[in-house]
Amino acid sequence: MNNFSDYINQYTNGKKVCILGFGREGKSTYRILEKYGAQASLAIADLNNVDREANGLPESVELICGKDYQSCLDRFDMVFKSPGIVLEKPLSELSCYITCETQVFFECFREQIIGITGTKGKSTVTSLIYHVLHENGVDCRIAGNIGIPVFDIAEGMEENTVVVCELSCHQLEYMTVSPKYAIFLNLYEEHLDHYGTLENYYNAKKNIYLHQNSEDDLLINSDIAPKEYNTWHTYTVSDKDKSADVYVKDGVIYYGDPYVIPVDRIKLLGVHNHYNIAVAYYIAMMYMDENEFTEALCTFEPLSHRLEYVDTVRGIRWYDDSISTACATAISALQSVPGAGTILIGGMDRGIDYTSLVDFLADFNVKVICMEASGKRVYDMIQAKDDFKDKSRVYYADHLEDAVKLAAEITPEGKSCVMSPAAASYGIFKNFEERGDAFKKLVAGLE
């Protein structure tokens, strides 16, 4: 069923409904429920205070705010949970039905959705797929974890409208429906403060394909491909495994006839982005030919804070890779920026294993500035590593401001300094965007 307004009406008919979390998605949910819903009552629950007047909320909408905001949930038939909210009780201990925008939207439109998840690269791949489709005249919309709630694009959907949807682990955690086309890019240690183990984190992500049927497509990194799905429409993608259905190496994508990535014409920096391009190429070939894909690829503007060139100041090229929250992305950053001279590492300590990064840095001739809590752990690991070459190139600075000042002093002229923290920003900055913006301001202040 894809008559969205009717579906919302039937979905909420006669039910006591609560919106849990009143941020961007919660407000989107409220707008749609207020317009199309047939709920018996509506409430909003949030840890923070919700201003009734500023948000135009009528007296009929109950507000439940403060530290006990989740204690009310069992009073309701249905709870729309925002992805940023962590439930204080497991589902088994709640009598209410937990749902979310993504669940409802997928129930309506799953046949039209290309869903993308993974620890790293999902925003780039989502944006790139949308760009090449849009540039070639495909009726498409972009939404999800990219910053656009799915309810914001739901009205006016046609049967041939394609939705390119970025999906986080928090959006997928309780999903019972999967998209027609699922893309699972990779899996690294992340969000362990919430999930505890990599397995739990993976289990949340797996919902992107777990509820697919035999007519659906799954494109997944060969390292994490589920063996039990090999008889379905499962395709692997890799830059290491030549037997993968989609294989990319040395700037060439092997999927059907080899496709040479026009590396001298594109703005996506780094070999790791060749993998992302290969994923987009797989999808694009359903809608266009190679020449059309190439023309669109060459006009794609990379997203901010993803190996973004900032400026050349004091003879140093500065790069913002604030999106980096894993060892693999910091390693890719060093392998991708031209003439890497210094890397800034560290942020919130979420307990991830930094062994692979420390091992890489041991033999990679670059100056390392560690900062914040996770950076201190990396610094201590390096000092304890007997075979780390030249520990005099490793420094510790308390915060980002100190790290940038130090980098300006020790980075050789003509070299690059990249902030690729391999750590979350929370507790220090609001998000990785704020961290990246702060880095850019500090660099500008060096002039």
Side-chain angles (χ1 to χ4, degrees):
M1 178 181 187
N2 61 6
N3 190 325
F4 179 68
S5 58
D6 290 346
Y7 192 81
I8 291 294
N9 185 279
Q10 294 174 25
Y11 194 80
T12 59
N13 187 30
K15 295 182 172 61
K16 293 181 290 182
V17 177
C18 177
I19 298 172
L20 184 60
F22 202 60
R24 181 183 295 169
E25 182 165 313
K27 291 174 181 176
S28 172
T29 302
Y30 171 76
R31 183 181 68 83
I32 290 298
L33 294 188
E34 188 275 334
K35 190 172 183 179
Y36 299 120
Q39 55 275 352
S41 63
L42 185 60
I44 294 168
D46 198 297
L47 176 65
N48 302 309
N49 183 56
V50 175
D51 189 319
R52 184 184 297 278
E53 184 176 349
N55 288 286
L57 302 173
E59 291 296 329
S60 59
V61 176
E62 181 185 2
L63 297 182
I64 304 159
C65 303
K67 61 183 179 65
D68 296 324
Y69 74 112
Q70 291 197 32
S71 62
C72 66
L73 298 186
D74 281 339
R75 290 202 283 112
F76 301 95
D77 302 311
M78 175 182 294
V79 173
F80 280 82
K81 187 186 83 67
S82 296
I85 303 294
V86 177
L87 291 176
E88 295 173 355
K89 293 181 179 180
L91 291 185
S92 59
E93 295 181 17
L94 293 170
S95 60
C96 58
Y97 174 62
I98 300 293
T99 188
C100 63
E101 277 199 16
T102 310
Q103 173 76 26
V104 177
F105 184 84
F106 276 44
E107 287 175 5
C108 276
F109 302 111
R110 68 166 301 278
E111 294 287 329
Q112 301 167 238
I113 297 172
I114 302 167
I116 300 99
T117 197
T119 307
K120 294 300 164 190
K122 55 185 178 293
S123 293
T124 294
V125 171
T126 300
S127 301
L128 179 56
I129 291 174
Y130 171 76
H131 176 78
V132 296
L133 294 181
H134 182 266
E135 288 297 295
N136 283 282
V138 177
D139 177 13
C140 58
R141 301 182 182 189
I142 186 171
N145 193 59
I146 198 84
I148 304 170
V150 291
F151 276 7
D152 283 5
I153 66 156
E155 295 173 285
M157 287 272 293
E158 302 289 343
E159 288 188 8
N160 64 339
T161 303
V162 177
V163 178
V164 189
C165 189
E166 178 184 337
L167 296 162
S168 70
C169 54
H170 299 305
Q171 287 170 310
L172 289 166
E173 187 169 5
Y174 302 114
M175 289 284 286
T176 60
V177 59
S178 300
K180 170 77 173 177
Y181 299 101
I183 298 172
F184 198 154
L185 297 171
N186 47 52
L187 188 76
Y188 302 115
E189 285 189 323
E190 182 70 290
H191 299 294
L192 298 189
D193 53 327
H194 172 53
Y195 291 103
T197 67
L198 183 63
E199 181 181 8
N200 290 339
Y201 172 52
Y202 184 27
N203 287 338
K205 291 275 195 187
K206 280 163 60 172
N207 280 321
I208 195 169
Y209 67 77
L210 206 59
H211 311 288
Q212 285 189 307
N213 60 52
S214 59
E215 300 303 312
D216 298 337
D217 275 12
L218 167 65
L219 180 64
I220 187 167
N221 190 307
S222 62
D223 291 340
I224 53 175
K227 293 181 175 58
E228 66 270 23
Y229 280 75
N230 282 349
T231 57
W232 286 17
H233 297 173
T234 299
Y235 304 91
T236 55
V237 58
S238 178
D239 58 359
K240 300 179 292 293
D241 181 6
K242 289 185 177 181
S243 66
D245 300 285
V246 182
Y247 175 65
V248 57
K249 193 70 173 179
D250 297 328
V252 180
I253 298 170
Y254 299 92
Y255 174 62
D257 293 333
Y259 173 78
V260 180
I261 299 171
V263 292
D264 57 336
R265 295 174 58 196
I266 62 175
K267 299 177 182 179
L268 280 172
L269 181 66
V271 174
H272 67 285
N273 270 317
H274 294 178
Y275 176 96
N276 295 333
I277 292 168
V279 171
Y281 180 79
Y282 165 84
I283 293 293
M285 289 305 96
M286 302 179 192
Y287 299 92
M288 66 197 71
D289 63 33
E290 288 186 3
N291 291 332
E292 292 169 327
F293 175 76
T294 297
E295 291 306 309
L297 173 63
C298 291
T299 61
F300 178 70
E301 295 287 341
L303 302 176
S304 297
H305 314 301
R306 294 156 175 85
L307 275 185
E308 178 188 6
Y309 171 69
V310 177
D311 200 357
T312 296
V313 180
R314 298 191 186 181
I316 303 165
R317 295 183 299 271
W318 300 83
Y319 289 87
D320 168 16
D321 194 36
S322 184
I323 188 70
S324 165
T325 58
C327 295
T329 50
I331 292 170
S332 292
L334 285 174
Q335 293 172 326
S336 301
V337 298
T342 308
I343 184 170
L344 277 54
I345 291 173
M348 176 186 179
D349 192 350
R350 282 179 155 179
I352 71 173
D353 183 1
Y354 283 107
T355 302
S356 62
L357 179 57
V358 171
D359 288 346
F360 177 84
L361 293 172
D363 297 311
F364 194 88
N365 187 22
V366 65
K367 294 182 179 180
V368 181
I369 301 177
C370 303
M371 55 188 178
E372 302 292 352
S374 67
K376 183 61 168 64
R377 186 151 64 88
V378 171
Y379 180 85
D380 290 342
M381 289 175 67
I382 290 173
Q383 298 308 314
K385 187 174 176 62
D386 293 335
D387 59 346
F388 194 98
K389 294 179 181 177
D390 187 12
K391 294 178 183 178
S392 66
R393 60 185 172 90
V394 182
Y395 305 78
Y396 181 79
D398 287 328
H399 306 296
L400 180 60
E401 182 176 3
D402 309 306
V404 171
K405 289 179 180 178
L406 179 57
E409 296 173 6
I410 67 173
T411 306
E413 187 173 344
K415 292 288 188 177
S416 298
C417 173
V418 57
M419 178 187 66
S420 190
S425 58
Y426 307 126
I428 307 162
F429 297 98
K430 180 181 177 181
N431 48 40
F432 75 86
E433 292 96 341
E434 186 178 81
R435 176 170 63 186
D437 290 340
F439 175 73
K440 292 176 183 178
K441 288 180 181 178
L442 290 168
V443 170
L446 295 171
E447 293 185 287

